Every structure is written in C-alpha cells, then in structure tokens.
Amino acid sequence: MSDCVFCRIVAGEIPARIILKTDTVLAFHDLNPQAPGHALVIPRRHIATLNDASESDRAILGDLMLAGAEVARILGFAESGYRTVTNCNPDGGQTVYHIHLHVLGGRRLSWPPG
C-alpha cells in the first residue's frame, strides 16, 4: 500500500523511533504521545482495520498483543500497568487505516478514556 504511512515506515521510507522489530510486527514511538510512554505496534503486512482481519490473521493478531507486552517491558511500565487500544473506523477513532495497537503507560490512566 504505497499511500499507507505505516506501510512506508515498514519499508523504511519514513523514519520512526523503532522500539521492537520481529518478522511479523514493528513497534515504534507515537509522534503525538498521549501518555509519557506511547508506542504503536503494527503488523508488517497491511491490514486496514480489525474488521478486515480474517481467520488467517489470527497469529498476527496474537503477535501484536505479545509485542505490546514486550514494548511495555522495554519502556519500563509493564509492572506498574499500561493500556492497549485498537481503534476501528471513524467512530472508533481510527485515523490511520493500517491496524495498530496503541501501548500507553508511564502514568495512571483514567477510565473511561473518552
């Protein structure tokens, strides 16, 4: 997807502050952090929204979650706590149409979020 900013990050065309790389996912610092620690974890393969994921994507969705936990450990807030969020479509707050997991921590997070 040549017009997808996250696909361009995966391809190395757009720089990012990388936290974690695996064969299936990439994690990097969010450019507009909403918490002291705010990372995005994306699949290397383009999937536009959670609604577009299929049964064949089950493993990659698991990889996203496990990478999110690893990112929280790397950033130092796994033990104190963190939040993972996946937004889907406009009313869910999705602005980049490449599925991604937000990992937020480093402060007490309130509920409800918004």
Side-chain angles (χ1 to χ4, degrees), residues 60-80:
I60 192 101
L61 296 176
D63 290 349
L64 283 175
M65 296 302 289
L66 292 174
E70 180 64 18
V71 165
R73 282 190 287 280
I74 291 168
L75 295 180
F77 49 74
E79 292 304 314
S80 61

Side-chain angles (χ1 to χ4, degrees), residues 10-72:
V10 169
E13 297 170 9
I14 296 175
R17 292 177 35 222
I18 304 298
I19 301 166
L20 177 71
K21 278 190 219 185
T22 73
D23 290 340
T24 57
V25 300
L26 183 67
F28 50 92
H29 291 274
D30 193 292
L31 285 177
N32 184 27
Q34 302 299 305
H38 186 171
L40 301 176
V41 184
I42 65 171
R44 289 180 173 269
R45 186 172 62 77
H46 185 86
I47 304 168
T49 74
L50 189 56
N51 290 341
D52 296 307
S54 67
E55 185 63 34
S56 65
D57 297 313
R58 183 177 295 275
I60 192 101
L61 296 176
D63 290 349
L64 283 175
M65 296 302 289
L66 292 174
E70 180 64 18
V71 165

